[in-house]
Amino acid sequence: MRDWTAYVRERLSLPGLQGPAAREVVEEVASQLEDAGLRRGGRGARWLADLMLDVRYAFRTLRKSPGFTATVVLLVALGVGANTAVFSVLKAVVLQPLPYPQPNELMVLWSTTTRGGRGPASWPDYLDWKAQNRSFEQMGLSQGLRLSLTDGDVPEQVRGAMVTSSVFDVFGVNAALGRTILPEEDASDARVVVLSHELWATRYESDPSILGRTIRLSDEPYKVVGVMPRSFAMTSPWNANDPYLLWTSIPASILTRPRDSYSYPVYGRLKDGATLAAARKDMDRVGLGLAEAYPATNRTQRALVQPLHVVLYGAAGGRLLLVLGAAALVLLIACGNVAGLLLARSATRRREIAVRAALGAGRMRMLRQLLTESGLLALAGGVVAVILVFWGLGALRSNLPSTLPRVHDIALDGPVLGTALLVSLITGLLFGLVPAVQAARISHVEALKEVAGRGGRAHGRVRSAFVVAQLALTLTLVHGTVLLVGSYLLLRRHDTGFNPKNVLTMSVSLSGPRYADEQTRLAFFKELVPRLDALPGVREAAVVNRLPFEGGTNARIIVEGREIPPDPNDRPLVERKAVLGDYLHVMGIPLRAGRMIDERDAAGVPGVVINERMAERIWPGVDPLGKRFSYDDNPPHWLTVVGVAGNVSQWGAEWGSIPEAFRPYALFPRPVMYLALKTDVPPATLVRAVRREVLAVDPDMPVTEIRTGEQLMGEQFSQRELMTTLIGLFAVLALVLAVAGIYGVIAYHVAQRTQELGVRIALGASRGRLLRLVLGRGLALAAVGVVLGTGGAVAASRITRNALYGLSPTNAWSIAGAALLLLAVAAVATLVPARRATTVDPARALQAE
């Protein structure tokens, strides 16, 4: 066997290679050479063999420093794990393509005005869009429905849509069993239905004989003609969390709908080679042509084209991208910490590296070896990160808000694992490259003459630069977190206009021929509301067509005594609310003036209650009580204002309030209504009793969307709360990493200057002066980081702008608060090594040299 120790000494016959420390280095390198099986003249070995030697050597080196290795792996795991978890959510919710052929070609077409906004289209406009466009291969129209499925023992309300036959061509999906709707069944009296795979499997136990069977939907017979594939999912463009369970043909009554009756979302598939920009330009051309042909209804109407994916998941995607950006900042900060640790460790390995260089290892060879160590650390951190994400994925799914779409699709699948691996490798390169380059540039002659464990000042400067970068990134993240938390708190404190405490809500859909007559609908609720009022624990019950936060049905109005604008789009737009019972009292909406509507307001000149916003907009500075307006102009059907209510955030807490009018249900008998109950007991305990009373009025009437007022309020803020919480956690983690980073740099700085500090003490320097000296070093680094971070916070303002409520993205107080917080934690992190510097023993410091 070769005497590797003698070989190393023979190759390293240098004057500086003396003393116990030098002998230890020689024996270590000799042991590594023996274990690796290297031979003189091994430079011609194959690349793979060299790589395996590098890996073996890296394993041996890292195994000898378990504390260092565990620390680095944990830091990498935290950074990579955070990014992997957020990316798994982002992929499932946003990046996962729609389950249709060529999903990027699918578009939603809205009816919009030249003043902005978007909404559904009318049947005549849809027909003209379809006939006159040059960009779409196919268009289809739909309208969401709530239908009572009553062909079983228990009535069930299902979410469905009436669609044209072309909708299935737009989505490019055929029935898995049977067929879809035929073109000749469009706008006809043919009552045919296509079932979703889910409904077929759960309600009909996957019975293949379902084809041709007649089922009853809202007390009307429909013939089942097909079942869609399991993978086919279609939702309302307004709610990606509410999939349709069946599709019916468009009835013949649609042919009588006027051009200004906007009720139908339109889907389109682009032709091969057509682009979104070209389609928008094309539909602008069509819109201008319709404006000339039908000026009474289309003078300001246009068609807005949006990708279906953006319509369904765009809002959630923006927030998740912001969270992913915060996680990426945490990863960069962790990389800075790891790079600092590697630089500190390389200072203790200067002799080892010098010996290897003296044995003939070139700089590229050394660089490759050190990067191999970094890569192994990164991969180990990535593996730990994946394990942590795998263990926590179930908890993550269960704690995500129900308003976030496609939550059940979140999985640790191949693309997510591949991303974790890629992020781990990039992380290893990020934190390993600079320390490796610094170490590879060591002069082996000078290094062998140095005291073991002493490094150059260059390492200290580089570590300081890493800490400054960490602090700058942390300030950017903390500033963004302060803004988001402030926005969230402002939004939660915002007066939404109603009191959700002790409120129970649920929906009832009076569809089908039994309730085709408006008087029958009115009779149903007139019988039901007194029954609900009489239930123990119910203080009061009411009925309304739209709950807060859920939008509404709006229409243009004319005002008595004022000139009627010839263009309807120039008339005021007002939300129409239909109520039965004292809805304002049930929901805790204050009555500012006048009275609530009652039975007498359904006859004669009906009375209505308007909100304060409408009073300010229509009759500014004037008492609105007794004023009249109408939703119709030929002839006008005047409504008299009898009360003024407080404003409610009908379209969402972030949107504030809009003009709104509450009128008797008898004047606006909508088929889909919500029950609202004010209770004296926990609302959830009354669900069974309320359902029993509904079935007592109509045994085939199901109730759905059962929610308490707190749940209604919570759904409104759930996604913002999730975003704020996650980014806040990342900011705290970033602060901890920044504290660790600056502590490490100052501790290293003190260790490097032990002799200098000892000399200063021996010459009479006070402990307080030394404390100020070291603290000044830490605060100077923090100050530079704060300056750079302030610039980063301002630069990031474009990203956070759309996520804020009530605050400017460049809020000076937020930046100042984040800066003071960072300086404070930097001072605390510096204090421990600073106090240690004041306890240096001068005699020992000089002996150590």
Side-chain angles (χ1 to χ4, degrees):
M1 296 289 293
R2 177 186 290 274
D3 184 352
W4 289 104
T5 301
Y7 168 70
V8 172
R9 287 189 177 280
E10 176 186 348
R11 294 292 304 272
L12 299 176
S13 55
L14 298 171
L17 193 61
Q18 304 295 332
R23 286 196 298 273
E24 182 179 347
V25 171
V26 169
E27 291 172 1
E28 172 64 20
V29 173
S31 175
Q32 292 166 357
L33 290 173
E34 183 174 356
D35 287 348
L38 292 175
R39 297 290 189 270
R40 295 185 67 180
R43 294 181 180 179
R46 292 179 299 122
W47 178 87
L48 183 60
D50 285 346
L51 178 62
M52 295 305 299
L53 292 176
D54 287 341
V55 171
R56 288 182 58 189
Y57 178 52
F59 268 120
R60 178 187 178 90
T61 303
L62 296 175
R63 192 171 62 244
K64 289 189 175 183
S65 305
F68 167 82
T69 302
T71 301
V72 172
V73 169
L74 178 60
L75 288 172
V76 174
L78 287 174
V80 175
N83 281 269
T84 301
V86 176
F87 178 76
S88 68
V89 178
L90 183 68
K91 172 190 169 292
V93 174
V94 181
L95 301 181
Q96 182 173 303
L98 297 170
Y100 314 115
Q102 293 81 46
N104 293 333
E105 297 177 357
L106 289 174
M107 302 290 150
V108 177
L109 290 88
W110 305 96
S111 179
T112 185
T113 70
T114 54
R115 299 167 186 172
R118 69 177 192 183
S122 67
W123 172 256
D125 279 351
Y126 158 73
L127 295 177
D128 287 331
W129 290 356
K130 186 175 181 181
Q132 297 179 28
N133 86 87
R134 302 168 185 166
S135 302
F136 289 91
E137 178 182 314
Q138 188 58 271
M139 281 188 188
L141 175 143
S142 72
Q143 184 182 43
L145 300 172
R146 293 178 185 177
L147 299 166
S148 297
L149 183 56
T150 56
D151 63 343
D153 296 332
V154 179
E156 178 184 358
Q157 190 174 106
V158 295
R159 181 74 165 160
M162 61 178 186
V163 298
T164 59
S165 59
S166 55
V167 160
F168 301 100
D169 297 326
V170 169
F171 285 94
V173 181
N174 292 318
L177 187 68
R179 63 171 177 86
T180 59
I181 298 169
L182 300 176
E184 55 267 27
E185 292 168 336
D186 287 339
S188 70
D189 291 326
R191 290 192 179 95
V192 296
V193 62
V194 178
L195 306 181
S196 68
H197 187 280
E198 178 185 351
L199 185 64
W200 177 55
T202 55
R203 183 81 179 194
Y204 301 104
E205 300 179 343
S206 303
D207 183 2
S209 65
I210 189 68
L211 295 181
R213 185 186 304 179
T214 297
I215 63 174
R216 300 199 69 80
L217 297 172
S218 296
D219 208 29
E220 286 189 293
Y222 281 81
K223 179 182 178 182
V224 178
V225 296
V227 177
M228 298 304 291
R230 184 193 301 270
S231 60
F232 181 72
M234 180 181 172
T235 69
S236 163
W238 288 287
N239 188 355
N241 283 329
D242 196 6
Y244 295 141
L245 294 179
L246 54 84
W247 297 265
T248 70
S249 55
I250 293 278
S253 59
I254 198 173
L255 298 174
T256 62
R257 300 301 296 269
R259 188 172 288 273
D260 59 352
S261 176
Y262 305 106
S263 304
Y264 311 102
V266 175
Y267 299 92
R269 176 175 288 277
L270 293 176
K271 292 180 179 178
D272 291 340
T275 64
L276 176 60
R280 286 174 171 169
K281 186 176 180 180
D282 182 32
M283 292 308 299
D284 284 341
R285 174 190 59 80
V286 174
L288 288 171
L290 294 178
E292 292 180 4
Y294 308 101
T297 56
N298 290 65
R299 187 175 67 85
T300 60
Q301 294 295 124
R302 298 292 183 271
L304 173 65
V305 183
Q306 288 184 307
L308 177 59
H309 194 281
V310 172
V311 171
L312 294 178
Y313 309 118
R319 289 172 176 167
L320 288 174
L321 284 173
L322 202 60
V323 175
L324 185 63
L329 288 181
V330 171
L331 180 60
L332 290 175
I333 294 168
C335 286
N337 260 16
V338 174
L341 290 174
L342 288 175
L343 281 170
R345 185 167 181 265
S346 67
T348 67
R349 298 177 64 189
R350 288 171 65 82
R351 283 183 175 272
E352 172 201 335
I353 294 170
V355 168
R356 291 172 60 81
L359 284 170
R363 285 188 177 179
M364 290 303 298
R365 185 70 174 82
M366 295 298 300
L367 184 65
R368 190 179 72 187
Q369 174 62 60
L370 294 171
L371 286 177
T372 300
E373 293 182 19
S374 301
L376 286 177
L377 288 169
L379 286 175
V383 170
V384 174
V386 169
I387 293 173
L388 293 175
V389 173
F390 178 76
W391 284 345
L393 207 57
L396 177 65
R397 277 193 295 261
S398 61
N399 285 285
L400 288 174
S402 60
T403 56
L404 197 66
R406 301 203 283 191
V407 168
H408 298 295
D409 292 338
I410 298 172
L412 201 62
D413 53 14
V416 175
L417 289 173
T419 301
L421 174 62
L422 180 62
V423 170
S424 299
L425 292 176
I426 293 175
T427 300
L429 184 63
L430 285 175
F431 69 66
L433 186 59
V434 173
V437 170
Q438 289 283 322
R441 293 172 59 185
I442 292 175
S443 169
H444 65 272
V445 175
E446 295 297 325
L448 289 171
K449 292 179 181 180
E450 290 178 359
V451 178
R454 292 284 302 275
R457 291 186 178 180
H459 282 192
R461 289 194 296 270
V462 175
R463 289 194 70 192
S464 297
F466 278 132
V467 168
V468 167
Q470 284 179 277
L471 292 170
L473 293 174
T474 301
L475 176 63
T476 302
L477 185 53
V478 170
H479 165 65
T481 302
V482 170
L483 288 177
L484 289 173
V485 171
S487 293
Y488 178 71
L489 294 178
L490 284 175
L491 195 59
R492 289 307 300 252
R493 283 198 218 102
H494 170 73
D495 184 11
T496 57
F498 74 101
N499 181 8
K501 187 176 181 180
N502 285 350
V503 170
L504 177 65
T505 68
M506 57 188 72
S507 73
V508 175
S509 178
L510 304 183
S511 54
R514 188 187 311 176
Y515 295 103
D517 181 64
E518 295 180 350
Q519 293 305 313
T520 309
R521 298 178 200 165
L522 180 61
F524 174 90
F525 285 114
K526 278 191 171 183
E527 181 180 352
L528 177 62
V529 170
R531 284 176 170 271
L532 299 180
D533 280 331
L535 286 175
V538 174
R539 190 182 308 172
E540 193 166 7
V543 178
V544 67
N545 65 313
R546 289 283 186 173
L547 293 172
F549 303 144
E550 299 198 343
T553 304
N554 52 51
R556 304 286 176 178
I557 68 167
I558 60 173
V559 181
E560 186 180 38
R562 297 183 187 176
E563 183 179 352
I564 301 175
D567 186 349
N569 292 303
D570 293 330
R571 303 171 187 175
L573 190 66
V574 175
E575 285 293 328
R576 295 182 291 179
K577 279 287 188 65
V579 295
L580 180 65
D582 195 346
Y583 171 74
L584 298 183
H585 183 256
V586 170
M587 299 301 290
I589 302 170
L591 186 65
R592 304 296 189 192
R595 63 175 176 82
M596 184 58 185
I597 54 177
D598 53 32
E599 290 292 333
R600 58 186 158 174
D601 295 306
V605 179
V608 296
V609 174
I610 65 173
N611 68 348
E612 291 177 295
R613 181 73 63 205
M614 181 172 174
E616 295 166 359
R617 186 79 56 84
I618 308 301
W619 296 283
V622 178
D623 183 2
L625 296 179
K627 302 294 183 182
R628 302 203 304 175
F629 68 94
S630 173
Y631 288 103
D632 308 292
D633 59 358
N634 189 24
H637 293 83
W638 298 112
L639 305 171
T640 302
V641 177
V642 299
V644 179
N647 297 320
V648 175
S649 299
Q650 188 60 37
W651 286 85
E654 299 181 31
W655 296 99
S657 60
I658 59 176
E660 192 171 18
F662 301 87
R663 57 179 176 169
Y665 178 68
L667 301 180
F668 195 52
R670 309 297 296 170
V672 178
M673 300 293 289
Y674 289 89
L675 307 178
L677 292 81
K678 176 66 81 174
T679 69
D680 293 316
V681 297
T685 62
L686 291 171
V687 172
R688 183 174 296 178
V690 173
R691 182 180 279 119
R692 184 175 60 248
E693 295 302 324
V694 172
L695 293 177
V697 178
D698 185 343
D700 293 330
M701 184 58 62
V703 294
T704 57
E705 297 183 76
I706 302 169
R707 291 172 294 181
T708 65
E710 282 84 0
Q711 289 172 330
L712 186 67
M713 185 73 78
E715 289 175 1
Q716 178 68 196
F717 301 103
S718 58
Q719 289 192 30
R720 180 177 285 275
E721 182 178 5
L722 171 70
M723 176 183 66
T724 304
T725 301
L726 289 178
I727 292 180
L729 290 174
F730 292 151
V732 171
L733 181 57
L735 271 176
V736 172
L737 293 175
V739 167
I742 197 167
Y743 170 83
V745 164
I746 300 303
Y748 178 80
H749 175 69
V750 170
Q752 290 290 300
R753 301 179 65 181
T754 300
Q755 182 193 15
E756 175 194 337
L757 295 174
V759 171
R760 285 177 179 269
I761 293 173
L763 292 176
S766 67
R767 308 283 180 178
R769 183 170 183 177
L770 291 180
L771 187 66
R772 290 193 298 273
L773 179 68
V774 179
L775 274 174
R777 167 79 174 176
L779 291 177
L781 292 176
V784 176
V786 164
V787 171
L788 295 177
T790 300
V794 173
S797 63
R798 292 184 178 180
I799 301 174
T800 58
R801 187 182 306 276
N802 293 333
L804 300 181
Y805 173 82
L807 291 175
S808 167
T810 54
N811 185 282
W813 289 106
S814 172
I815 295 177
L820 288 175
L821 176 63
L822 208 61
L823 289 172
V825 298
V828 172
T830 306
L831 190 60
V832 175
R835 289 177 61 87
R836 187 181 302 149
T838 64
T839 62
V840 171
D841 185 345
R844 290 189 177 181
L846 295 173
Q847 287 175 359
E849 178 64 18

